[in-house]
Amino acid sequence: MLGGFGIDEREEAVYAEILRRRQTTVTEVSDALGIVPATVSDCLAKLVSLGLVTGHDNGLHTPYILSPDLETFSRFAPTYRYVYERSAFDDSRVSEEIIGLLKSGYEIRIADALPNKMIVIDRHAVLLPMRADQTSMHPGFLLIRGESLVRMLVDLFERVWAAATPLRVTAAGLADGAQAMDEVDVLLLTLLLSGLPDKTVAGRLGTSERTVQRRLRRLMKLTGANSRMQLGWYAARSGLIPL
């Protein structure tokens, strides 16, 4: 599951054990997994180098997921997308964190409200906090691997992502970008997928054919689509337009 970070199955097992225990020692992980201490130490050294785990002088290790080494992460998995609630910016530290993420190539958008906190991993698994208001590792996370549930949660994320506002870094700090998709965009996609040509769509929308084409180019850039067909598939799969 974490192969994109350059982590093998044994290192992933060690990391999962640390997540489960929240803090632990080499000996405890060795006993729990049946792996010799020297190998556990090597795994922990790899996890520490990636910013996933911290090591302390007293021999304890704790998961470290709030401020990882972004440059190291970017080498293994350059595509990250985050959606923050607008209220998160009440904490000045969040803005500094987001500026660092954006400068490292991460895509970030902001929404007025989010249905839930979650982490989607390669569209194959989802981590959900045990409590909706959870702000730390306690009381823990629920790992979801079931195909149907994962697909449903991924679709939920895509709908939130499409409606959220992109953020960018300016000389003065963070600034909101243009709304990703508004009601006109959704109607435009619906008309195009019904088989209507650009000129007819422009007439229905009360705008010019050039404006329709400009909107489509913007939407393709926002969603990462390489063609109108891909854009239509994305919009339908995300639930933005009816199938």
Side-chain angles (χ1 to χ4, degrees):
M1 185 172 68
L2 298 178
F5 296 107
I7 295 175
D8 61 28
E9 292 183 2
R10 182 168 294 177
E11 292 159 350
E12 182 177 338
V14 171
Y15 184 53
E17 185 64 20
I18 294 177
L19 287 175
R20 187 179 70 82
R21 292 174 175 267
R22 301 189 181 93
Q23 63 178 16
T24 188
T25 65
V26 170
T27 300
E28 289 172 339
V29 175
S30 175
D31 292 341
L33 300 179
I35 302 175
V36 297
T39 301
V40 172
S41 296
D42 290 341
C43 292
L44 286 171
K46 175 70 169 293
L47 295 171
V48 169
S49 71
L50 291 174
L52 289 170
V53 170
T54 56
H56 301 279
D57 293 338
N58 60 5
L60 287 176
H61 290 77
T62 58
Y64 190 64
I65 63 173
L66 296 180
S67 301
D69 182 340
L70 299 180
E71 292 184 1
T72 300
F73 266 28
S74 296
R75 291 203 304 269
F76 293 106
T79 303
Y80 278 99
R81 295 188 292 167
Y82 289 86
V83 181
Y84 283 81
E85 279 192 348
R86 197 171 297 276
S87 61
F89 291 84
D90 293 340
D91 186 339
S92 60
R93 294 172 298 179
V94 172
S95 295
E96 296 177 2
E97 175 183 308
I98 289 178
I99 288 174
L101 291 170
L102 288 170
K103 288 181 177 179
S104 297
Y106 292 46
E107 297 180 54
I108 298 178
R109 295 184 180 182
I110 186 171
D112 290 334
L114 296 175
N116 197 33
K117 296 178 181 179
M118 65 179 176
I119 302 174
V120 179
I121 306 171
D122 291 340
R123 294 180 176 267
H124 294 304
V126 177
L127 283 175
L128 291 176
M130 298 296 289
R131 295 173 49 184
D133 60 348
Q134 187 171 320
T135 58
S136 69
M137 292 299 296
H138 300 276
F141 287 83
L142 177 65
L143 176 61
I144 298 176
R145 292 180 182 268
E147 183 177 348
S148 296
L149 286 176
V150 169
R151 184 185 299 117
M152 179 184 69
L153 292 170
V154 169
D155 287 347
L156 173 62
F157 172 82
E158 293 293 357
R159 293 187 67 173
V160 171
W161 176 262
T165 303
L167 290 179
R168 67 182 189 277
V169 179
T170 67
L174 289 173
D176 290 3
Q179 185 74 10
M181 280 196 189
D182 56 25
E183 294 181 358
V184 176
D185 291 328
V186 175
L187 178 56
L188 184 156
L189 288 172
T190 303
L191 293 173
L192 282 175
L193 288 180
S194 68
L196 297 177
D198 291 1
K199 186 175 182 179
T200 303
V201 171
R204 295 280 184 90
L205 296 178
T207 187
S208 68
E209 186 174 354
R210 180 173 296 179
T211 298
V212 168
Q213 294 169 351
R214 184 171 62 249
R215 274 185 174 266
L216 283 172
R217 287 194 296 270
R218 180 178 68 86
L219 292 175
M220 290 173 64
K221 182 177 181 180
L222 284 171
T223 60
N226 295 319
S227 66
R228 292 189 178 192
M229 182 176 294
Q230 285 187 358
L231 177 60
W233 175 87
Y234 167 87
R237 187 176 187 278
S238 301
L240 293 170
I241 58 177
L243 291 170

